[in-house]
Amino acid sequence: MSQNVSEFVLDRIKAWGVTRVYGYPGDGIGEFDGALGKADRAGEGVEYIRPTHEEIAALMATAHAKFTGEVGVCIATSSPGAFHMLNGLYDAQMDNQPVVAIVGQQGLAAVGTFTQQESNLERVFADVACYVQTIATPDSAGVVIDTAFRTAMLRKQPAVVVLPHDVQAMPWSEPGAEHWVSRSSDVPASTRITPPAEDVRKMADIINAGERVTFLVGAGARGATDQVLAAAGKAGAGIITALRGKDVVPSDVPFHTQQVGLLGSRPSLTQIKECDTIVLLGTNYPYGEYLPKVGQARGIQVDIKPEQLGLRYPNELNMWGDVGATLDALLPLLEQKDDLGWQEKLADEMREWEAEMGRQAEVAYSDGVNPRRVIRAVNERLPEGVTVTCDAGTTADWYGHHIRLRRGMHGDMSGRLATMLAAMPYAVTAKFAFPDRPAVCTIGDGAFQMLGMNELITVKKYMDRWQDKQLVIVVMHNDDLGQVSWEMRTEDGNPMWRGSQDVETMDYAGYAELLGFQGIAVHSDDEVDAAVERAFAHQGVTLIDAYVSRSVPPLPPHITAEYAMNTAKSLLKGDPVEFDVVKDSAKAMAAEVVERAKGAFGRD
């Protein structure tokens, strides 16, 4: 049967294992959309998910890659649709995810003529994508699609295929063995790279010589949980996870001290300050001030992204390889540590830290619900197999401090890009990736107002496809772009400015109810547990509208002099919520001091 280019491209992406795409239509991609529709009517297509905006489609493709390990695919029309996808593609680029974007273009004769919706898309996408190419002839369709998928998978980056409108409808036939014609392969290449044996031997020697070894584990170690735990067990190592690696190591591992840094734990800070060996496994952790001092620890890094080796710490050994494959080669060479005192110390400190986090969640604030109490209540009720997403902002602090993911659970966010609003498309994508499992989205009201609210419409449209319909959305409602307000105070010594920071209030629970979902408003601390209990008892969509305090400080595990001094400066300059900030910061710090005193004197 004869095919046109669009029909061939659809068959080719299916050959690459694609079963679901995220797209938004338009005339620039119209013939390809027609091929998608024709295949769907014949029962031979891919699942086409159409959210409310192209940016959401690209973020969903990124989330799809993160949750499934497959290539995420997003589709959009020419210039405006293509431009809208950029933010989501940068999320894929900065978090090392394989995504292929297929974007329309005006006809070939119009390229470079300044006609409507024609732009230089190859130039536009040159920075974000590892491969950008236009399918200019039917003979080039196969090699461009194959190269896009293969390159995205190997480099773990987004690739972009530009498909002009007239080329979409051209007849396609099998290319011949002719000059300038490539007959390409649709077979992927393996990324299970193992470093040379002599480097693995050096890695074992360094770890065996260490007395206080720390593993800093990132999302690049996904799929290698058992190897990480086995290696830590032999080396007597403590484990810290980067925020996106939170689900790589189960929370019930006693010497897993969660994250480090502003949204980390004090036991993780202990590890950084006292370790004599640090092993970075699949992480490009960006905060050098929270890594050991130069000369304090011997450093090793293992990463599949060679360009990200040796960027953050003067490592003694940089190893290009897959984390799981590298640890498989390493494990027989590791000596079993008899003295596990380092792990035991960290486990003791972690128990103290969890008690402190519990105390922080119990603090009452004058201007709203304690946000920590809300997230703690969610954490206490997380069902097995759940996916938890969090947004950029203070929700990331509460996620880091209070969410504990057990084996089989998933968690993720926009990491290095840290774009707002990603938590909603991530959570919705989790429902497509795991339709038989629940999902939880934690998001601030500012991010929810961006495009997050729109995605409740997407949920309504598609939720009948999910066997398990439980989706819990927790909106932290404080009418403030809270993270930025605190950054203004703590980083720059400036007061929060209402002109930029205030978020217009609205009834989020009521909005959810308009769409037929369960909406629950929480106005006081004593309503939190019942609201969260009700949400997880409901086999459907629930939005918890939590009216939380805007004055709760996202305190780091160790309050630096700079942090305290800049906050004081901001208050002296006339912070509009000065009284609440002073009072509530004092409460939070008092809770921390009390817990430290208890630990020091061994009292309950």
Side-chain angles (χ1 to χ4, degrees):
M1 184 188 300
S2 63
Q3 284 186 310
N4 65 21
V5 169
S6 291
E7 292 164 338
F8 167 75
V9 168
L10 176 56
D11 282 348
R12 200 66 162 189
I13 69 173
K14 287 165 61 178
W16 279 96
V18 175
T19 59
R20 182 181 303 117
V21 298
Y22 305 89
Y24 205 94
D27 66 330
I29 195 71
E31 185 66 32
F32 185 65
D33 285 343
L36 287 167
K38 178 182 176 181
D40 182 65
R41 290 188 294 274
E44 300 171 350
V46 297
E47 186 178 21
Y48 181 84
I49 305 301
R50 201 216 75 190
T52 60
H53 195 279
E54 292 94 346
E55 180 179 355
I56 299 296
L59 287 167
M60 293 179 87
T62 301
H64 180 96
K66 288 181 175 182
F67 291 137
T68 67
E70 302 168 352
V71 177
V73 177
C74 49
I75 302 168
T77 189
S78 52
S79 299
F83 300 158
H84 282 162
M85 294 202 316
L86 278 168
N87 194 53
L89 294 180
Y90 271 107
D91 191 37
Q93 182 209 64
M94 297 176 77
D95 281 351
N96 303 317
Q97 297 303 311
V99 169
V100 171
I102 301 173
V103 299
Q105 174 63 292
Q106 300 309 299
L108 287 173
V111 174
T113 67
F114 309 101
T115 193
Q116 187 180 32
Q117 293 194 346
E118 180 273 325
S119 56
N120 189 333
L121 293 178
E122 290 192 5
R123 182 181 297 171
V124 168
F125 288 107
D127 182 65
V128 72
C130 63
Y131 176 80
V132 188
Q133 194 55 254
T134 298
I135 297 179
T137 70
D139 279 346
S140 69
V143 68
V144 170
I145 290 293
D146 293 341
T147 306
F149 274 86
R150 189 178 298 108
T151 306
M153 295 170 74
L154 287 172
R155 296 187 181 275
K156 298 189 180 297
Q157 294 281 276
V160 176
V161 174
V162 181
L163 190 51
H165 197 188
D166 52 350
V167 177
Q168 294 170 33
M170 290 179 181
W172 179 88
S173 60
E174 190 71 41
E178 301 169 3
H179 192 52
W180 293 332
V181 174
S182 292
R183 293 170 292 166
S184 63
S185 166
D186 60 3
V187 177
S190 174
T191 58
R192 194 168 168 79
I193 298 169
T194 304
E198 59 267 29
D199 285 348
V200 178
R201 177 74 261 180
K202 289 177 186 175
M203 182 179 183
D205 290 343
I206 293 170
I207 294 174
N208 288 336
E211 296 181 358
R212 297 179 304 280
V213 179
T214 286
F215 289 177
L216 177 52
V217 180
R222 283 209 175 110
T225 297
D226 291 337
Q227 293 98 317
V228 170
L229 293 178
K234 294 186 80 171
I239 298 175
I240 300 169
T241 46
L243 195 61
R244 287 200 54 241
K246 194 177 184 74
D247 60 355
V248 175
V249 179
S251 60
D252 56 4
V253 174
F255 46 87
H256 171 202
T257 60
Q258 298 289 319
Q259 286 70 66
V260 69
L262 288 177
L263 40 66
S265 72
R266 195 178 307 115
S268 290
L269 195 61
T270 295
Q271 290 205 61
I272 293 300
K273 287 184 173 182
E274 299 183 12
C275 69
D276 60 19
T277 309
I278 186 162
V279 183
L280 287 76
L281 297 172
T283 181
N284 183 30
Y285 180 76
Y287 302 108
E289 68 270 34
Y290 289 102
L291 290 175
K293 294 180 179 179
V294 174
Q296 170 197 321
R298 303 176 74 181
I300 303 169
Q301 186 175 356
V302 180
D303 209 292
I304 198 66
K305 298 284 292 179
E307 67 272 24
Q308 294 181 1
L309 289 166
L311 291 178
R312 310 301 179 198
Y313 192 73
N315 298 317
E316 186 173 332
L317 189 60
N318 290 312
M319 304 179 69
W320 178 28
D322 171 75
V323 171
T326 302
L327 292 182
D328 282 338
L330 173 75
L331 277 165
L333 306 177
L334 287 180
E335 299 169 358
Q336 179 63 56
K337 286 279 199 311
D338 295 323
D339 182 1
L340 300 181
W342 174 238
Q343 287 183 339
E344 291 164 0
K345 173 185 177 178
L346 298 172
D348 288 342
E349 287 195 15
M350 193 61 191
R351 282 188 287 271
E352 294 172 5
W353 176 255
E354 296 288 38
E356 181 172 318
M357 288 297 93
R359 189 177 182 90
Q360 294 275 4
E362 290 296 322
V363 174
Y365 294 102
S366 56
D367 64 336
V369 175
N370 185 339
R372 293 179 178 276
R373 186 172 302 199
V374 176
I375 301 302
R376 181 188 66 173
V378 169
N379 180 67
E380 290 173 346
R381 294 164 177 81
L382 288 177
E384 296 301 321
V386 71
T387 299
V388 184
T389 68
C390 82
D391 216 83
T394 53
T395 51
D397 293 273
W398 318 140
Y399 173 85
H401 285 163
H402 295 279
I403 293 295
R404 301 291 179 257
L405 299 173
R406 304 185 296 276
R407 189 182 281 266
M409 295 180 175
H410 297 273
D412 221 322
M413 63 182 302
S414 173
R416 193 156 64 94
L417 181 63
T419 183
M420 290 174 65
L421 80 82
M424 268 300 287
Y426 273 38
V428 178
T429 304
K431 294 299 295 181
F432 288 111
F434 313 116
D436 57 345
R437 303 181 197 176
V440 174
C441 169
T442 64
I443 190 168
D445 49 1
F448 195 62
Q449 283 191 12
M450 275 185 162
L451 285 173
M453 293 174 63
N454 291 13
E455 286 317 287
L456 284 181
I457 300 170
T458 304
V459 171
K460 185 175 179 65
K461 180 178 180 180
Y462 291 107
M463 65 181 296
D464 287 345
R465 302 188 185 188
W466 307 331
Q467 298 96 300
D468 183 306
K469 295 184 170 43
Q470 187 170 89
L471 172 61
V472 177
I473 302 148
V474 183
V475 178
M476 300 306 229
H477 183 166
N478 61 4
D479 303 330
D480 182 26
L481 298 176
Q483 185 73 15
V484 181
S485 293
W486 279 101
E487 287 169 345
M488 290 175 73
R489 295 177 182 121
T490 61
E491 293 182 9
D492 303 311
N494 286 320
M496 184 272 276
W497 177 36
R498 284 193 180 276
S500 68
Q501 298 309 106
D502 280 356
V503 175
E504 183 65 24
T505 195
M506 67 166 287
D507 181 2
Y508 300 109
Y511 174 70
E513 290 171 350
L514 284 175
L515 291 168
F517 303 139
Q518 177 172 249
I520 306 173
V522 177
H523 294 277
S524 64
D525 287 331
D526 58 9
E527 296 175 344
V528 169
D529 286 325
V532 176
E533 191 76 34
R534 183 178 158 198
F536 282 112
H538 179 56
Q539 184 50 228
V541 179
T542 300
L543 187 146
I544 298 176
D545 186 359
Y547 288 74
V548 298
S549 168
R550 69 192 299 166
S551 305
V552 181
L555 288 171
H558 174 68
I559 302 169
T560 65
E562 181 184 21
Y563 185 105
M565 182 62 70
N566 284 338
T567 303
K569 286 179 182 177
S570 74
L571 300 178
L572 290 172
K573 292 177 182 177
D575 196 286
V577 288
E578 174 182 352
F579 178 73
D580 287 334
V581 168
V582 172
K583 181 176 60 176
D584 293 337
S585 294
K587 286 181 179 179
M589 286 185 249
E592 184 176 344
V593 169
V594 167
E595 280 302 318
R596 290 189 188 185
K598 284 182 177 181
F601 292 103
R603 295 206 305 256
D604 293 329

Short mmCIF file of all heavy atoms in Angstrom, two decimals, residues 323-355:
data_model
loop_
_atom_site.label_atom_id
_atom_site.label_comp_id
_atom_site.label_asym_id
_atom_site.label_seq_id
_atom_site.Cartn_x
_atom_site.Cartn_y
_atom_site.Cartn_z
N VAL A 323 25.59 3.87 35.74
CA VAL A 323 25.79 3.62 37.17
C VAL A 323 25.60 2.15 37.50
O VAL A 323 26.42 1.54 38.20
CB VAL A 323 24.84 4.50 38.01
CG1 VAL A 323 24.90 4.09 39.49
CG2 VAL A 323 25.21 5.98 37.87
N GLY A 324 24.52 1.54 37.01
CA GLY A 324 24.26 0.14 37.33
C GLY A 324 25.35 -0.77 36.82
O GLY A 324 25.83 -1.66 37.54
N ALA A 325 25.76 -0.59 35.56
CA ALA A 325 26.81 -1.44 34.98
C ALA A 325 28.13 -1.26 35.71
O ALA A 325 28.88 -2.22 35.95
CB ALA A 325 26.97 -1.13 33.49
N THR A 326 28.44 -0.01 36.08
CA THR A 326 29.69 0.27 36.79
C THR A 326 29.70 -0.38 38.16
O THR A 326 30.70 -0.99 38.58
CB THR A 326 29.90 1.78 36.91
OG1 THR A 326 29.91 2.36 35.60
CG2 THR A 326 31.21 2.11 37.61
N LEU A 327 28.59 -0.29 38.89
CA LEU A 327 28.53 -0.89 40.22
C LEU A 327 28.55 -2.42 40.14
O LEU A 327 29.10 -3.08 41.03
CB LEU A 327 27.30 -0.40 40.96
CG LEU A 327 27.30 1.08 41.35
CD1 LEU A 327 26.03 1.44 42.12
CD2 LEU A 327 28.53 1.45 42.18
N ASP A 328 27.95 -2.99 39.10
CA ASP A 328 28.03 -4.44 38.91
C ASP A 328 29.49 -4.88 38.80
O ASP A 328 29.89 -5.91 39.35
CB ASP A 328 27.27 -4.86 37.65
CG ASP A 328 25.76 -4.91 37.85
OD1 ASP A 328 25.32 -5.03 39.01
OD2 ASP A 328 25.04 -4.82 36.85
N ALA A 329 30.29 -4.11 38.08
CA ALA A 329 31.72 -4.44 37.95
C ALA A 329 32.48 -4.16 39.23
O ALA A 329 33.48 -4.85 39.54
CB ALA A 329 32.32 -3.63 36.79
N LEU A 330 32.03 -3.17 40.00
CA LEU A 330 32.73 -2.76 41.22
C LEU A 330 32.50 -3.72 42.38
O LEU A 330 33.43 -4.00 43.17
CB LEU A 330 32.27 -1.36 41.61
CG LEU A 330 32.78 -0.82 42.96
CD1 LEU A 330 34.25 -0.42 42.85
CD2 LEU A 330 31.93 0.37 43.42
N LEU A 331 31.29 -4.22 42.51
CA LEU A 331 30.90 -4.94 43.73
C LEU A 331 31.85 -6.09 44.10
O LEU A 331 32.21 -6.25 45.28
CB LEU A 331 29.46 -5.45 43.60
CG LEU A 331 28.39 -4.41 43.93
CD1 LEU A 331 27.02 -4.85 43.43
CD2 LEU A 331 28.35 -4.17 45.44
N PRO A 332 32.30 -6.92 43.17
CA PRO A 332 33.21 -8.01 43.56
C PRO A 332 34.55 -7.52 44.11
O PRO A 332 35.26 -8.29 44.79
CB PRO A 332 33.42 -8.80 42.26
CG PRO A 332 32.27 -8.43 41.39
CD PRO A 332 31.95 -7.02 41.73
N LEU A 333 34.89 -6.26 43.85
CA LEU A 333 36.18 -5.72 44.27
C LEU A 333 36.10 -4.97 45.60
O LEU A 333 37.14 -4.61 46.16
CB LEU A 333 36.73 -4.78 43.19
CG LEU A 333 36.85 -5.36 41.77
CD1 LEU A 333 37.33 -4.29 40.80
CD2 LEU A 333 37.79 -6.56 41.76
N LEU A 334 34.90 -4.72 46.08
CA LEU A 334 34.75 -4.00 47.34
C LEU A 334 34.96 -4.94 48.52
O LEU A 334 34.47 -6.08 48.53
CB LEU A 334 33.36 -3.36 47.45
CG LEU A 334 33.08 -2.13 46.58
CD1 LEU A 334 31.66 -1.64 46.81
CD2 LEU A 334 34.09 -1.02 46.87
N GLU A 335 35.68 -4.44 49.51
CA GLU A 335 35.88 -5.20 50.75
C GLU A 335 34.74 -4.89 51.72
O GLU A 335 34.26 -3.75 51.79
CB GLU A 335 37.22 -4.81 51.37
CG GLU A 335 38.42 -5.11 50.49
CD GLU A 335 39.70 -4.49 51.00
OE1 GLU A 335 39.63 -3.78 52.04
OE2 GLU A 335 40.76 -4.67 50.37
N GLN A 336 34.33 -5.91 52.47
CA GLN A 336 33.27 -5.71 53.44
C GLN A 336 33.81 -4.99 54.68
O GLN A 336 34.73 -5.47 55.33
CB GLN A 336 32.66 -7.05 53.87
CG GLN A 336 31.56 -6.93 54.92
CD GLN A 336 30.36 -6.15 54.41
OE1 GLN A 336 29.77 -6.49 53.39
NE2 GLN A 336 30.00 -5.10 55.13
N LYS A 337 33.25 -3.82 54.97
CA LYS A 337 33.65 -3.08 56.17
C LYS A 337 33.07 -3.77 57.40
O LYS A 337 31.88 -4.09 57.45
CB LYS A 337 33.11 -1.64 56.10
CG LYS A 337 33.85 -0.73 55.11
CD LYS A 337 35.13 -0.18 55.67
CE LYS A 337 35.62 1.05 54.91
NZ LYS A 337 35.68 0.95 53.47
N ASP A 338 33.91 -3.98 58.41
CA ASP A 338 33.43 -4.55 59.66
C ASP A 338 32.90 -3.48 60.60
O ASP A 338 31.95 -3.71 61.35
CB ASP A 338 34.57 -5.33 60.35
CG ASP A 338 35.02 -6.53 59.52
OD1 ASP A 338 34.14 -7.18 58.91
OD2 ASP A 338 36.23 -6.81 59.48
N ASP A 339 33.51 -2.32 60.57
CA ASP A 339 33.10 -1.22 61.43
C ASP A 339 32.03 -0.39 60.70
O ASP A 339 32.31 0.30 59.72
CB ASP A 339 34.30 -0.33 61.77
CG ASP A 339 33.94 0.81 62.71
OD1 ASP A 339 32.75 0.91 63.11
OD2 ASP A 339 34.84 1.61 63.04
N LEU A 340 30.79 -0.48 61.16
CA LEU A 340 29.68 0.25 60.55
C LEU A 340 29.27 1.45 61.41
O LEU A 340 28.14 1.93 61.34
CB LEU A 340 28.48 -0.68 60.35
CG LEU A 340 28.73 -1.90 59.45
CD1 LEU A 340 27.47 -2.75 59.32
CD2 LEU A 340 29.25 -1.49 58.07
N GLY A 341 30.22 1.95 62.18
CA GLY A 341 29.94 3.07 63.08
C GLY A 341 29.49 4.33 62.35
O GLY A 341 28.66 5.09 62.86
N TRP A 342 30.02 4.56 61.15
CA TRP A 342 29.64 5.73 60.37
C TRP A 342 28.17 5.67 59.99
O TRP A 342 27.42 6.64 60.18
CB TRP A 342 30.54 5.81 59.14
CG TRP A 342 30.25 6.85 58.10
CD1 TRP A 342 29.98 6.62 56.78
CD2 TRP A 342 30.27 8.28 58.24
NE1 TRP A 342 29.82 7.80 56.10
CE2 TRP A 342 30.00 8.85 56.97
CE3 TRP A 342 30.49 9.14 59.31
CZ2 TRP A 342 29.93 10.21 56.75
CZ3 TRP A 342 30.43 10.51 59.09
CH2 TRP A 342 30.16 11.04 57.83
N GLN A 343 27.74 4.52 59.50
CA GLN A 343 26.32 4.35 59.16
C GLN A 343 25.44 4.47 60.40
O GLN A 343 24.37 5.10 60.35
CB GLN A 343 26.09 2.99 58.50
CG GLN A 343 26.62 2.89 57.07
CD GLN A 343 26.29 1.55 56.44
OE1 GLN A 343 26.01 0.56 57.15
NE2 GLN A 343 26.33 1.49 55.11
N GLU A 344 25.89 3.91 61.50
CA GLU A 344 25.08 3.95 62.72
C GLU A 344 24.95 5.38 63.25
O GLU A 344 23.88 5.79 63.71
CB GLU A 344 25.71 3.04 63.79
CG GLU A 344 25.61 1.56 63.43
CD GLU A 344 26.54 0.69 64.26
OE1 GLU A 344 27.27 1.25 65.12
OE2 GLU A 344 26.55 -0.54 64.05
N LYS A 345 26.03 6.15 63.17
CA LYS A 345 25.97 7.55 63.58
C LYS A 345 24.96 8.32 62.74
O LYS A 345 24.13 9.09 63.27
CB LYS A 345 27.35 8.19 63.45
CG LYS A 345 27.35 9.69 63.71
CD LYS A 345 28.71 10.32 63.45
CE LYS A 345 28.66 11.83 63.65
NZ LYS A 345 29.97 12.48 63.44
N LEU A 346 25.00 8.10 61.44
CA LEU A 346 24.09 8.81 60.55
C LEU A 346 22.64 8.39 60.79
O LEU A 346 21.72 9.23 60.75
CB LEU A 346 24.47 8.54 59.09
CG LEU A 346 25.86 9.04 58.69
CD1 LEU A 346 26.21 8.56 57.28
CD2 LEU A 346 25.95 10.56 58.79
N ALA A 347 22.42 7.11 61.06
CA ALA A 347 21.07 6.64 61.34
C ALA A 347 20.53 7.29 62.62
O ALA A 347 19.35 7.68 62.69
CB ALA A 347 21.06 5.12 61.47
N ASP A 348 21.38 7.41 63.64
CA ASP A 348 20.97 8.08 64.88
C ASP A 348 20.60 9.54 64.62
O ASP A 348 19.58 10.04 65.10
CB ASP A 348 22.08 8.00 65.93
CG ASP A 348 22.26 6.60 66.51
OD1 ASP A 348 21.34 5.78 66.36
OD2 ASP A 348 23.34 6.33 67.09
N GLU A 349 21.45 10.22 63.86
CA GLU A 349 21.18 11.63 63.56
C GLU A 349 19.91 11.78 62.72
O GLU A 349 19.16 12.75 62.88
CB GLU A 349 22.37 12.26 62.83
CG GLU A 349 23.57 12.52 63.71
CD GLU A 349 24.58 13.45 63.04
OE1 GLU A 349 24.22 14.11 62.04
OE2 GLU A 349 25.72 13.51 63.53
N MET A 350 19.66 10.81 61.84
CA MET A 350 18.47 10.89 61.01
C MET A 350 17.21 10.73 61.83
O MET A 350 16.20 11.40 61.59
CB MET A 350 18.53 9.84 59.90
CG MET A 350 17.49 10.04 58.81
SD MET A 350 17.69 11.63 57.97
CE MET A 350 16.17 11.71 57.00
N ARG A 351 17.25 9.88 62.85
CA ARG A 351 16.09 9.74 63.73
C ARG A 351 15.83 11.05 64.47
O ARG A 351 14.68 11.47 64.64
CB ARG A 351 16.32 8.59 64.71
CG ARG A 351 16.09 7.20 64.09
CD ARG A 351 16.13 6.10 65.12
NE ARG A 351 17.50 5.84 65.58
CZ ARG A 351 18.33 4.99 65.00
NH1 ARG A 351 17.95 4.31 63.93
NH2 ARG A 351 19.55 4.79 65.48
N GLU A 352 16.90 11.72 64.91
CA GLU A 352 16.75 13.01 65.57
C GLU A 352 16.18 14.05 64.61
O GLU A 352 15.34 14.88 64.98
CB GLU A 352 18.10 13.49 66.12
CG GLU A 352 18.65 12.63 67.24
CD GLU A 352 20.07 13.03 67.62
OE1 GLU A 352 20.57 14.04 67.05
OE2 GLU A 352 20.69 12.35 68.45
N TRP A 353 16.65 14.02 63.36
CA TRP A 353 16.17 14.98 62.37
C TRP A 353 14.69 14.77 62.07
O TRP A 353 13.92 15.74 61.95
CB TRP A 353 16.99 14.85 61.09
CG TRP A 353 16.49 15.73 59.97
CD1 TRP A 353 15.79 15.36 58.87
CD2 TRP A 353 16.67 17.15 59.87
NE1 TRP A 353 15.52 16.45 58.08
CE2 TRP A 353 16.04 17.57 58.67
CE3 TRP A 353 17.29 18.11 60.67
CZ2 TRP A 353 16.02 18.89 58.25
CZ3 TRP A 353 17.27 19.44 60.25
CH2 TRP A 353 16.64 19.82 59.06
N GLU A 354 14.26 13.52 61.95
CA GLU A 354 12.85 13.25 61.70
C GLU A 354 11.99 13.77 62.85
O GLU A 354 10.89 14.30 62.64
CB GLU A 354 12.61 11.75 61.48
CG GLU A 354 13.31 11.17 60.26
CD GLU A 354 12.69 11.61 58.93
OE1 GLU A 354 12.26 12.78 58.79
OE2 GLU A 354 12.66 10.77 58.02
N ALA A 355 12.51 13.64 64.08
CA ALA A 355 11.78 14.19 65.23
C ALA A 355 11.69 15.71 65.11
O ALA A 355 10.65 16.32 65.41
CB ALA A 355 12.47 13.79 66.53
#
